């Protein structure tokens, strides 16, 4: 299916949208990308599983580079040969879900106290 959601953006438009809505993402070689640093392999797998679930639910699949203590997520719409709204929307959802940590957000959920396995994203 193609349509308005498959219209591609120029590099200047992509960089402006990233700066406004996804400041930890960047444009490189036609892809929007984000590197998530983790505390180790278990945390890396948690990030990969979250991204995988979101991508499958959206039926829009990123390329992943997976290592011991990081995951790189790369998005482009292959059928459109560029970055589209699909990429921005999935990047936004990935950012929201991967970076969510109870105890740092408002609400009743406190998070697991003093368990470093659940403080897995490094904010550097």
């Amino acid at each position: 299916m193609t349509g308005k959601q498959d219209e591609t953006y120029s590099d200047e438009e992509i960089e402006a949208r990233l700066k406004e809505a996804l400041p930890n993402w960047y444009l490189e070689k036609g892809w929007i990308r984000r590197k998530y640093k983790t505390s180790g392999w278990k945390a890396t797998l948690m990030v990969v599983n979250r991204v995988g679930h979101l991508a499958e639910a959206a039926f829009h699949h990123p390329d992943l580079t997976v290592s011991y203590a990081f995951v790189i997520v790369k998005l482009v719409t292959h059928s459109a040969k560029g970055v589209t709204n699909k990429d921005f929307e999935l990047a936004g959802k990935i950012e929201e879900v991967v970076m969510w940590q109870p105890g740092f957000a408002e609400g009743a959920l406190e998070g697991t106290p003093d368990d470093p396995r659940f403080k897995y994203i490094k904010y550097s």
Side-chain angles (χ1 to χ4, degrees):
M1 176 190 322
T2 60
K4 188 166 179 76
Q5 71 270 13
D6 287 331
E7 291 179 13
T8 60
Y9 289 89
S10 69
D11 288 355
E12 294 78 21
E13 291 170 321
I14 294 167
E15 294 200 9
R17 283 193 67 175
L18 293 176
K19 183 178 181 180
E20 179 183 323
L22 296 162
N24 293 311
W25 290 70
Y26 58 98
L27 176 65
E28 184 178 83
K29 298 181 182 177
W31 298 71
I32 60 171
R33 301 168 183 240
R34 169 76 150 97
K35 183 176 186 176
Y36 293 97
K37 296 179 184 178
T38 69
S39 62
W41 185 242
K42 288 181 185 179
T44 294
L45 291 177
M46 290 173 67
V47 171
V48 168
N49 285 324
R50 287 178 177 183
V51 171
H53 171 77
L54 294 171
E56 190 59 25
F59 196 64
H60 188 60
H61 304 97
D63 281 14
L64 302 177
T65 301
V66 179
S67 189
Y68 175 79
F70 70 84
V71 178
I72 298 173
V73 180
K74 299 182 345 184
L75 287 164
V76 72
T77 303
H78 296 285
S79 61
K81 296 179 175 65
V83 175
T84 68
N85 283 333
K86 291 178 182 180
D87 303 301
F88 287 114
E89 287 185 29
L90 184 54
K93 185 53 70 176
I94 290 169
E95 190 74 1
E96 175 187 338
V97 172
V98 168
M99 297 307 294
W100 177 74
Q101 292 185 354
F104 292 103
E106 290 187 32
L109 300 173
E110 299 174 12
T112 305
D114 302 322
D115 187 339
R117 292 177 301 161
F118 295 100
K119 307 281 190 261
Y120 63 88
I121 300 292
K122 296 181 180 179
Y123 291 92
S124 58

